[in-house]
Amino acid sequence: QVQLVESGGGLVQPGGSLRLSCAASGSFVSITAMAWYRQVPGKQRELVAQATSGGITKYVDGVKGRFAISTDNAKNTVYLQMNSLKPEDTAVYYCYGNMIIGRLEYGYWGQGTQVTVSS
């Protein structure tokens, strides 16, 4: 059983910062990639940022230069540092991880954490 537990969401004013954390636990051999997605009501969940075990990162255009994804492999944790937040960043943010279990790769989701950017 694999669990992804997010923390760090909340209410912040425009221009402010938040740091999201997602810790993975359970029986897996390794993590090949971790990512952050977000979703607003009525819209599809969208990829915000991704980091592979090889150190490759990618970001959706709207957050480049403002958000930074990082990982702590020893803690099986991924972070999302969000700076210069805008009201349009308001969403539920979900952690996603690709884990190797046995010889197969599986994807897992966290429960989500609300980020609200408002004055």
Side-chain angles (χ1 to χ4, degrees), residues 46-82:
E46 68 166 350
L47 176 67
V48 176
Q50 181 183 44
T52 69
S53 58
I56 298 172
T57 59
K58 68 175 181 180
Y59 299 89
V60 67
D61 285 344
V63 307
K64 288 179 180 177
R66 300 190 296 121
F67 290 11
I69 188 169
S70 61
T71 59
D72 183 333
N73 295 330
K75 296 181 179 179
N76 292 325
T77 299
V78 63
Y79 305 96
L80 186 67
Q81 178 66 44
M82 305 185 293

PDB file of all heavy atoms in Angstrom, residues 46-82:
ATOM      1  N   GLU A  46      -4.826  19.686 -14.230  1.00  0.00           N
ATOM      2  CA  GLU A  46      -3.716  20.019 -15.112  1.00  0.00           C
ATOM      3  C   GLU A  46      -2.381  19.832 -14.391  1.00  0.00           C
ATOM      4  O   GLU A  46      -2.274  20.070 -13.182  1.00  0.00           O
ATOM      5  CB  GLU A  46      -3.807  21.464 -15.628  1.00  0.00           C
ATOM      6  CG  GLU A  46      -3.607  22.531 -14.576  1.00  0.00           C
ATOM      7  CD  GLU A  46      -3.366  23.925 -15.149  1.00  0.00           C
ATOM      8  OE1 GLU A  46      -3.167  24.051 -16.372  1.00  0.00           O
ATOM      9  OE2 GLU A  46      -3.332  24.877 -14.346  1.00  0.00           O
ATOM     10  N   LEU A  47      -1.380  19.419 -15.164  1.00  0.00           N
ATOM     11  CA  LEU A  47      -0.041  19.286 -14.623  1.00  0.00           C
ATOM     12  C   LEU A  47       0.545  20.661 -14.362  1.00  0.00           C
ATOM     13  O   LEU A  47       0.497  21.539 -15.220  1.00  0.00           O
ATOM     14  CB  LEU A  47       0.849  18.519 -15.616  1.00  0.00           C
ATOM     15  CG  LEU A  47       2.314  18.378 -15.224  1.00  0.00           C
ATOM     16  CD1 LEU A  47       2.474  17.486 -13.999  1.00  0.00           C
ATOM     17  CD2 LEU A  47       3.120  17.822 -16.395  1.00  0.00           C
ATOM     18  N   VAL A  48       1.096  20.846 -13.172  1.00  0.00           N
ATOM     19  CA  VAL A  48       1.735  22.104 -12.812  1.00  0.00           C
ATOM     20  C   VAL A  48       3.252  21.975 -12.943  1.00  0.00           C
ATOM     21  O   VAL A  48       3.912  22.802 -13.555  1.00  0.00           O
ATOM     22  CB  VAL A  48       1.368  22.519 -11.378  1.00  0.00           C
ATOM     23  CG1 VAL A  48       2.117  23.779 -10.973  1.00  0.00           C
ATOM     24  CG2 VAL A  48      -0.136  22.717 -11.252  1.00  0.00           C
ATOM     25  N   ALA A  49       3.814  20.917 -12.335  1.00  0.00           N
ATOM     26  CA  ALA A  49       5.257  20.724 -12.354  1.00  0.00           C
ATOM     27  C   ALA A  49       5.563  19.250 -12.132  1.00  0.00           C
ATOM     28  O   ALA A  49       4.815  18.556 -11.439  1.00  0.00           O
ATOM     29  CB  ALA A  49       5.942  21.566 -11.282  1.00  0.00           C
ATOM     30  N   GLN A  50       6.661  18.812 -12.717  1.00  0.00           N
ATOM     31  CA  GLN A  50       7.066  17.411 -12.587  1.00  0.00           C
ATOM     32  C   GLN A  50       8.571  17.324 -12.399  1.00  0.00           C
ATOM     33  O   GLN A  50       9.318  18.122 -12.988  1.00  0.00           O
ATOM     34  CB  GLN A  50       6.660  16.612 -13.826  1.00  0.00           C
ATOM     35  CG  GLN A  50       7.028  15.134 -13.762  1.00  0.00           C
ATOM     36  CD  GLN A  50       6.680  14.404 -15.028  1.00  0.00           C
ATOM     37  OE1 GLN A  50       6.913  14.883 -16.131  1.00  0.00           O
ATOM     38  NE2 GLN A  50       6.099  13.226 -14.884  1.00  0.00           N
ATOM     39  N   ALA A  51       9.003  16.367 -11.591  1.00  0.00           N
ATOM     40  CA  ALA A  51      10.427  16.111 -11.399  1.00  0.00           C
ATOM     41  C   ALA A  51      10.664  14.613 -11.527  1.00  0.00           C
ATOM     42  O   ALA A  51       9.993  13.823 -10.854  1.00  0.00           O
ATOM     43  CB  ALA A  51      10.886  16.604 -10.034  1.00  0.00           C
ATOM     44  N   THR A  52      11.610  14.228 -12.387  1.00  0.00           N
ATOM     45  CA  THR A  52      11.929  12.814 -12.537  1.00  0.00           C
ATOM     46  C   THR A  52      13.072  12.437 -11.603  1.00  0.00           C
ATOM     47  O   THR A  52      13.788  13.311 -11.081  1.00  0.00           O
ATOM     48  CB  THR A  52      12.345  12.484 -13.974  1.00  0.00           C
ATOM     49  OG1 THR A  52      13.619  13.082 -14.237  1.00  0.00           O
ATOM     50  CG2 THR A  52      11.321  12.997 -14.977  1.00  0.00           C
ATOM     51  N   SER A  53      13.258  11.151 -11.420  1.00  0.00           N
ATOM     52  CA  SER A  53      14.342  10.689 -10.555  1.00  0.00           C
ATOM     53  C   SER A  53      15.703  11.051 -11.149  1.00  0.00           C
ATOM     54  O   SER A  53      16.687  11.107 -10.425  1.00  0.00           O
ATOM     55  CB  SER A  53      14.247   9.181 -10.363  1.00  0.00           C
ATOM     56  OG  SER A  53      14.306   8.509 -11.605  1.00  0.00           O
ATOM     57  N   GLY A  54      15.731  11.319 -12.449  1.00  0.00           N
ATOM     58  CA  GLY A  54      16.970  11.724 -13.099  1.00  0.00           C
ATOM     59  C   GLY A  54      17.249  13.214 -13.000  1.00  0.00           C
ATOM     60  O   GLY A  54      18.259  13.699 -13.530  1.00  0.00           O
ATOM     61  N   GLY A  55      16.360  13.941 -12.325  1.00  0.00           N
ATOM     62  CA  GLY A  55      16.596  15.364 -12.107  1.00  0.00           C
ATOM     63  C   GLY A  55      16.010  16.278 -13.169  1.00  0.00           C
ATOM     64  O   GLY A  55      16.260  17.486 -13.157  1.00  0.00           O
ATOM     65  N   ILE A  56      15.216  15.728 -14.064  1.00  0.00           N
ATOM     66  CA  ILE A  56      14.589  16.554 -15.097  1.00  0.00           C
ATOM     67  C   ILE A  56      13.301  17.145 -14.548  1.00  0.00           C
ATOM     68  O   ILE A  56      12.485  16.435 -13.961  1.00  0.00           O
ATOM     69  CB  ILE A  56      14.308  15.724 -16.351  1.00  0.00           C
ATOM     70  CG1 ILE A  56      15.625  15.205 -16.936  1.00  0.00           C
ATOM     71  CG2 ILE A  56      13.563  16.552 -17.385  1.00  0.00           C
ATOM     72  CD1 ILE A  56      15.443  14.226 -18.064  1.00  0.00           C
ATOM     73  N   THR A  57      13.132  18.441 -14.729  1.00  0.00           N
ATOM     74  CA  THR A  57      11.922  19.110 -14.273  1.00  0.00           C
ATOM     75  C   THR A  57      11.225  19.776 -15.459  1.00  0.00           C
ATOM     76  O   THR A  57      11.864  20.141 -16.449  1.00  0.00           O
ATOM     77  CB  THR A  57      12.227  20.171 -13.214  1.00  0.00           C
ATOM     78  OG1 THR A  57      13.129  21.142 -13.763  1.00  0.00           O
ATOM     79  CG2 THR A  57      12.860  19.544 -11.980  1.00  0.00           C
ATOM     80  N   LYS A  58       9.924  19.902 -15.328  1.00  0.00           N
ATOM     81  CA  LYS A  58       9.168  20.660 -16.313  1.00  0.00           C
ATOM     82  C   LYS A  58       8.007  21.340 -15.623  1.00  0.00           C
ATOM     83  O   LYS A  58       7.537  20.896 -14.579  1.00  0.00           O
ATOM     84  CB  LYS A  58       8.680  19.785 -17.460  1.00  0.00           C
ATOM     85  CG  LYS A  58       7.635  18.755 -17.118  1.00  0.00           C
ATOM     86  CD  LYS A  58       7.183  18.050 -18.395  1.00  0.00           C
ATOM     87  CE  LYS A  58       6.106  17.014 -18.108  1.00  0.00           C
ATOM     88  NZ  LYS A  58       5.669  16.327 -19.347  1.00  0.00           N
ATOM     89  N   TYR A  59       7.564  22.449 -16.225  1.00  0.00           N
ATOM     90  CA  TYR A  59       6.525  23.290 -15.646  1.00  0.00           C
ATOM     91  C   TYR A  59       5.526  23.701 -16.715  1.00  0.00           C
ATOM     92  O   TYR A  59       5.874  23.867 -17.883  1.00  0.00           O
ATOM     93  CB  TYR A  59       7.143  24.560 -15.050  1.00  0.00           C
ATOM     94  CG  TYR A  59       8.137  24.320 -13.949  1.00  0.00           C
ATOM     95  CD1 TYR A  59       9.486  24.133 -14.238  1.00  0.00           C
ATOM     96  CD2 TYR A  59       7.737  24.292 -12.611  1.00  0.00           C
ATOM     97  CE1 TYR A  59      10.402  23.909 -13.232  1.00  0.00           C
ATOM     98  CE2 TYR A  59       8.650  24.070 -11.606  1.00  0.00           C
ATOM     99  CZ  TYR A  59       9.974  23.874 -11.923  1.00  0.00           C
ATOM    100  OH  TYR A  59      10.881  23.653 -10.910  1.00  0.00           O
ATOM    101  N   VAL A  60       4.291  23.896 -16.278  1.00  0.00           N
ATOM    102  CA  VAL A  60       3.314  24.482 -17.180  1.00  0.00           C
ATOM    103  C   VAL A  60       3.710  25.939 -17.384  1.00  0.00           C
ATOM    104  O   VAL A  60       4.285  26.580 -16.484  1.00  0.00           O
ATOM    105  CB  VAL A  60       1.890  24.346 -16.596  1.00  0.00           C
ATOM    106  CG1 VAL A  60       1.709  25.196 -15.344  1.00  0.00           C
ATOM    107  CG2 VAL A  60       0.854  24.656 -17.642  1.00  0.00           C
ATOM    108  N   ASP A  61       3.419  26.487 -18.562  1.00  0.00           N
ATOM    109  CA  ASP A  61       3.906  27.824 -18.905  1.00  0.00           C
ATOM    110  C   ASP A  61       3.512  28.878 -17.877  1.00  0.00           C
ATOM    111  O   ASP A  61       4.298  29.770 -17.565  1.00  0.00           O
ATOM    112  CB  ASP A  61       3.378  28.229 -20.291  1.00  0.00           C
ATOM    113  CG  ASP A  61       4.102  27.513 -21.411  1.00  0.00           C
ATOM    114  OD1 ASP A  61       5.192  26.949 -21.145  1.00  0.00           O
ATOM    115  OD2 ASP A  61       3.580  27.507 -22.546  1.00  0.00           O
ATOM    116  N   GLY A  62       2.349  28.801 -17.337  1.00  0.00           N
ATOM    117  CA  GLY A  62       1.852  29.859 -16.462  1.00  0.00           C
ATOM    118  C   GLY A  62       2.546  29.967 -15.109  1.00  0.00           C
ATOM    119  O   GLY A  62       2.348  30.954 -14.401  1.00  0.00           O
ATOM    120  N   VAL A  63       3.367  28.996 -14.751  1.00  0.00           N
ATOM    121  CA  VAL A  63       4.030  29.043 -13.447  1.00  0.00           C
ATOM    122  C   VAL A  63       5.542  29.140 -13.574  1.00  0.00           C
ATOM    123  O   VAL A  63       6.241  29.253 -12.552  1.00  0.00           O
ATOM    124  CB  VAL A  63       3.663  27.814 -12.577  1.00  0.00           C
ATOM    125  CG1 VAL A  63       2.149  27.663 -12.493  1.00  0.00           C
ATOM    126  CG2 VAL A  63       4.307  26.538 -13.091  1.00  0.00           C
ATOM    127  N   LYS A  64       6.064  29.093 -14.788  1.00  0.00           N
ATOM    128  CA  LYS A  64       7.519  29.169 -14.975  1.00  0.00           C
ATOM    129  C   LYS A  64       8.057  30.468 -14.399  1.00  0.00           C
ATOM    130  O   LYS A  64       7.509  31.538 -14.624  1.00  0.00           O
ATOM    131  CB  LYS A  64       7.862  29.066 -16.458  1.00  0.00           C
ATOM    132  CG  LYS A  64       7.665  27.676 -17.041  1.00  0.00           C
ATOM    133  CD  LYS A  64       8.013  27.644 -18.531  1.00  0.00           C
ATOM    134  CE  LYS A  64       7.801  26.247 -19.104  1.00  0.00           C
ATOM    135  NZ  LYS A  64       8.069  26.203 -20.566  1.00  0.00           N
ATOM    136  N   GLY A  65       9.127  30.334 -13.637  1.00  0.00           N
ATOM    137  CA  GLY A  65       9.737  31.499 -13.005  1.00  0.00           C
ATOM    138  C   GLY A  65       9.123  31.860 -11.667  1.00  0.00           C
ATOM    139  O   GLY A  65       9.681  32.679 -10.931  1.00  0.00           O
ATOM    140  N   ARG A  66       7.967  31.285 -11.346  1.00  0.00           N
ATOM    141  CA  ARG A  66       7.312  31.566 -10.055  1.00  0.00           C
ATOM    142  C   ARG A  66       7.299  30.335  -9.137  1.00  0.00           C
ATOM    143  O   ARG A  66       7.389  30.466  -7.922  1.00  0.00           O
ATOM    144  CB  ARG A  66       5.876  32.024 -10.287  1.00  0.00           C
ATOM    145  CG  ARG A  66       5.739  33.281 -11.114  1.00  0.00           C
ATOM    146  CD  ARG A  66       4.298  33.801 -11.088  1.00  0.00           C
ATOM    147  NE  ARG A  66       3.356  32.874 -11.692  1.00  0.00           N
ATOM    148  CZ  ARG A  66       2.304  32.345 -11.049  1.00  0.00           C
ATOM    149  NH1 ARG A  66       2.075  32.656  -9.789  1.00  0.00           N
ATOM    150  NH2 ARG A  66       1.477  31.515 -11.680  1.00  0.00           N
ATOM    151  N   PHE A  67       7.139  29.157  -9.715  1.00  0.00           N
ATOM    152  CA  PHE A  67       7.072  27.915  -8.939  1.00  0.00           C
ATOM    153  C   PHE A  67       8.354  27.119  -9.132  1.00  0.00           C
ATOM    154  O   PHE A  67       8.982  27.162 -10.203  1.00  0.00           O
ATOM    155  CB  PHE A  67       5.902  27.058  -9.399  1.00  0.00           C
ATOM    156  CG  PHE A  67       4.538  27.584  -9.071  1.00  0.00           C
ATOM    157  CD1 PHE A  67       4.341  28.874  -8.597  1.00  0.00           C
ATOM    158  CD2 PHE A  67       3.418  26.777  -9.239  1.00  0.00           C
ATOM    159  CE1 PHE A  67       3.076  29.359  -8.303  1.00  0.00           C
ATOM    160  CE2 PHE A  67       2.141  27.235  -8.946  1.00  0.00           C
ATOM    161  CZ  PHE A  67       1.975  28.532  -8.490  1.00  0.00           C
ATOM    162  N   ALA A  68       8.722  26.356  -8.116  1.00  0.00           N
ATOM    163  CA  ALA A  68       9.894  25.497  -8.205  1.00  0.00           C
ATOM    164  C   ALA A  68       9.593  24.166  -7.534  1.00  0.00           C
ATOM    165  O   ALA A  68       9.176  24.142  -6.364  1.00  0.00           O
ATOM    166  CB  ALA A  68      11.100  26.150  -7.564  1.00  0.00           C
ATOM    167  N   ILE A  69       9.808  23.086  -8.263  1.00  0.00           N
ATOM    168  CA  ILE A  69       9.614  21.751  -7.713  1.00  0.00           C
ATOM    169  C   ILE A  69      10.976  21.193  -7.299  1.00  0.00           C
ATOM    170  O   ILE A  69      11.984  21.414  -7.983  1.00  0.00           O
ATOM    171  CB  ILE A  69       8.925  20.813  -8.733  1.00  0.00           C
ATOM    172  CG1 ILE A  69       8.542  19.484  -8.078  1.00  0.00           C
ATOM    173  CG2 ILE A  69       9.777  20.605  -9.976  1.00  0.00           C
ATOM    174  CD1 ILE A  69       7.631  18.609  -8.954  1.00  0.00           C
ATOM    175  N   SER A  70      10.991  20.509  -6.175  1.00  0.00           N
ATOM    176  CA  SER A  70      12.231  19.894  -5.702  1.00  0.00           C
ATOM    177  C   SER A  70      11.886  18.603  -4.966  1.00  0.00           C
ATOM    178  O   SER A  70      10.736  18.398  -4.566  1.00  0.00           O
ATOM    179  CB  SER A  70      13.005  20.834  -4.785  1.00  0.00           C
ATOM    180  OG  SER A  70      12.243  21.166  -3.650  1.00  0.00           O
ATOM    181  N   THR A  71      12.882  17.753  -4.816  1.00  0.00           N
ATOM    182  CA  THR A  71      12.661  16.477  -4.151  1.00  0.00           C
ATOM    183  C   THR A  71      13.732  16.215  -3.103  1.00  0.00           C
ATOM    184  O   THR A  71      14.864  16.698  -3.228  1.00  0.00           O
ATOM    185  CB  THR A  71      12.655  15.305  -5.154  1.00  0.00           C
ATOM    186  OG1 THR A  71      13.912  15.267  -5.831  1.00  0.00           O
ATOM    187  CG2 THR A  71      11.543  15.446  -6.173  1.00  0.00           C
ATOM    188  N   ASP A  72      13.357  15.499  -2.080  1.00  0.00           N
ATOM    189  CA  ASP A  72      14.288  14.992  -1.080  1.00  0.00           C
ATOM    190  C   ASP A  72      14.182  13.471  -1.165  1.00  0.00           C
ATOM    191  O   ASP A  72      13.251  12.881  -0.621  1.00  0.00           O
ATOM    192  CB  ASP A  72      13.922  15.504   0.302  1.00  0.00           C
ATOM    193  CG  ASP A  72      14.914  15.071   1.373  1.00  0.00           C
ATOM    194  OD1 ASP A  72      15.559  14.014   1.200  1.00  0.00           O
ATOM    195  OD2 ASP A  72      15.044  15.779   2.384  1.00  0.00           O
ATOM    196  N   ASN A  73      15.105  12.861  -1.877  1.00  0.00           N
ATOM    197  CA  ASN A  73      14.999  11.420  -2.138  1.00  0.00           C
ATOM    198  C   ASN A  73      15.105  10.599  -0.851  1.00  0.00           C
ATOM    199  O   ASN A  73      14.487   9.543  -0.734  1.00  0.00           O
ATOM    200  CB  ASN A  73      16.069  10.996  -3.130  1.00  0.00           C
ATOM    201  CG  ASN A  73      15.868  11.626  -4.493  1.00  0.00           C
ATOM    202  OD1 ASN A  73      14.735  11.906  -4.880  1.00  0.00           O
ATOM    203  ND2 ASN A  73      16.940  11.855  -5.213  1.00  0.00           N
ATOM    204  N   ALA A  74      15.869  11.085   0.092  1.00  0.00           N
ATOM    205  CA  ALA A  74      16.020  10.355   1.353  1.00  0.00           C
ATOM    206  C   ALA A  74      14.713  10.299   2.136  1.00  0.00           C
ATOM    207  O   ALA A  74      14.469   9.351   2.883  1.00  0.00           O
ATOM    208  CB  ALA A  74      17.109  10.991   2.202  1.00  0.00           C
ATOM    209  N   LYS A  75      13.880  11.315   1.943  1.00  0.00           N
ATOM    210  CA  LYS A  75      12.607  11.384   2.664  1.00  0.00           C
ATOM    211  C   LYS A  75      11.427  11.009   1.774  1.00  0.00           C
ATOM    212  O   LYS A  75      10.278  11.073   2.217  1.00  0.00           O
ATOM    213  CB  LYS A  75      12.387  12.789   3.221  1.00  0.00           C
ATOM    214  CG  LYS A  75      13.412  13.206   4.265  1.00  0.00           C
ATOM    215  CD  LYS A  75      13.105  14.606   4.789  1.00  0.00           C
ATOM    216  CE  LYS A  75      14.108  15.032   5.845  1.00  0.00           C
ATOM    217  NZ  LYS A  75      13.828  16.404   6.355  1.00  0.00           N
ATOM    218  N   ASN A  76      11.694  10.650   0.513  1.00  0.00           N
ATOM    219  CA  ASN A  76      10.612  10.343  -0.439  1.00  0.00           C
ATOM    220  C   ASN A  76       9.581  11.465  -0.458  1.00  0.00           C
ATOM    221  O   ASN A  76       8.369  11.219  -0.422  1.00  0.00           O
ATOM    222  CB  ASN A  76       9.951   9.015  -0.097  1.00  0.00           C
ATOM    223  CG  ASN A  76      10.863   7.840  -0.330  1.00  0.00           C
ATOM    224  OD1 ASN A  76      11.676   7.830  -1.256  1.00  0.00           O
ATOM    225  ND2 ASN A  76      10.752   6.829   0.524  1.00  0.00           N
ATOM    226  N   THR A  77      10.072  12.675  -0.513  1.00  0.00           N
ATOM    227  CA  THR A  77       9.206  13.852  -0.414  1.00  0.00           C
ATOM    228  C   THR A  77       9.439  14.785  -1.596  1.00  0.00           C
ATOM    229  O   THR A  77      10.580  14.972  -2.031  1.00  0.00           O
ATOM    230  CB  THR A  77       9.462  14.590   0.903  1.00  0.00           C
ATOM    231  OG1 THR A  77       9.164  13.722   1.999  1.00  0.00           O
ATOM    232  CG2 THR A  77       8.590  15.834   1.016  1.00  0.00           C
ATOM    233  N   VAL A  78       8.360  15.342  -2.092  1.00  0.00           N
ATOM    234  CA  VAL A  78       8.441  16.344  -3.152  1.00  0.00           C
ATOM    235  C   VAL A  78       7.842  17.634  -2.627  1.00  0.00           C
ATOM    236  O   VAL A  78       6.883  17.617  -1.840  1.00  0.00           O
ATOM    237  CB  VAL A  78       7.720  15.875  -4.436  1.00  0.00           C
ATOM    238  CG1 VAL A  78       6.224  15.664  -4.196  1.00  0.00           C
ATOM    239  CG2 VAL A  78       7.935  16.853  -5.582  1.00  0.00           C
ATOM    240  N   TYR A  79       8.441  18.742  -3.023  1.00  0.00           N
ATOM    241  CA  TYR A  79       7.996  20.065  -2.590  1.00  0.00           C
ATOM    242  C   TYR A  79       7.605  20.904  -3.808  1.00  0.00           C
ATOM    243  O   TYR A  79       8.120  20.697  -4.902  1.00  0.00           O
ATOM    244  CB  TYR A  79       9.115  20.782  -1.835  1.00  0.00           C
ATOM    245  CG  TYR A  79       9.667  20.010  -0.668  1.00  0.00           C
ATOM    246  CD1 TYR A  79      10.814  19.224  -0.808  1.00  0.00           C
ATOM    247  CD2 TYR A  79       9.053  20.045   0.578  1.00  0.00           C
ATOM    248  CE1 TYR A  79      11.323  18.505   0.250  1.00  0.00           C
ATOM    249  CE2 TYR A  79       9.561  19.337   1.650  1.00  0.00           C
ATOM    250  CZ  TYR A  79      10.698  18.565   1.487  1.00  0.00           C
ATOM    251  OH  TYR A  79      11.194  17.851   2.541  1.00  0.00           O
ATOM    252  N   LEU A  80       6.725  21.844  -3.562  1.00  0.00           N
ATOM    253  CA  LEU A  80       6.407  22.843  -4.575  1.00  0.00           C
ATOM    254  C   LEU A  80       6.456  24.205  -3.907  1.00  0.00           C
ATOM    255  O   LEU A  80       5.581  24.539  -3.105  1.00  0.00           O
ATOM    256  CB  LEU A  80       5.034  22.600  -5.199  1.00  0.00           C
ATOM    257  CG  LEU A  80       4.688  23.528  -6.366  1.00  0.00           C
ATOM    258  CD1 LEU A  80       5.602  23.237  -7.565  1.00  0.00           C
ATOM    259  CD2 LEU A  80       3.222  23.381  -6.778  1.00  0.00           C
ATOM    260  N   GLN A  81       7.493  24.959  -4.215  1.00  0.00           N
ATOM    261  CA  GLN A  81       7.616  26.329  -3.710  1.00  0.00           C
ATOM    262  C   GLN A  81       6.887  27.243  -4.683  1.00  0.00           C
ATOM    263  O   GLN A  81       7.225  27.275  -5.874  1.00  0.00           O
ATOM    264  CB  GLN A  81       9.088  26.732  -3.609  1.00  0.00           C
ATOM    265  CG  GLN A  81       9.298  28.153  -3.133  1.00  0.00           C
ATOM    266  CD  GLN A  81       8.857  28.367  -1.700  1.00  0.00           C
ATOM    267  OE1 GLN A  81       9.131  27.556  -0.828  1.00  0.00           O
ATOM    268  NE2 GLN A  81       8.164  29.478  -1.463  1.00  0.00           N
ATOM    269  N   MET A  82       5.895  27.937  -4.185  1.00  0.00           N
ATOM    270  CA  MET A  82       5.075  28.801  -5.026  1.00  0.00           C
ATOM    271  C   MET A  82       5.256  30.243  -4.586  1.00  0.00           C
ATOM    272  O   MET A  82       4.919  30.592  -3.444  1.00  0.00           O
ATOM    273  CB  MET A  82       3.606  28.392  -4.923  1.00  0.00           C
ATOM    274  CG  MET A  82       3.356  26.929  -5.258  1.00  0.00           C
ATOM    275  SD  MET A  82       1.608  26.492  -5.283  1.00  0.00           S
ATOM    276  CE  MET A  82       1.197  26.703  -3.562  1.00  0.00           C
TER     277      MET A  82
END
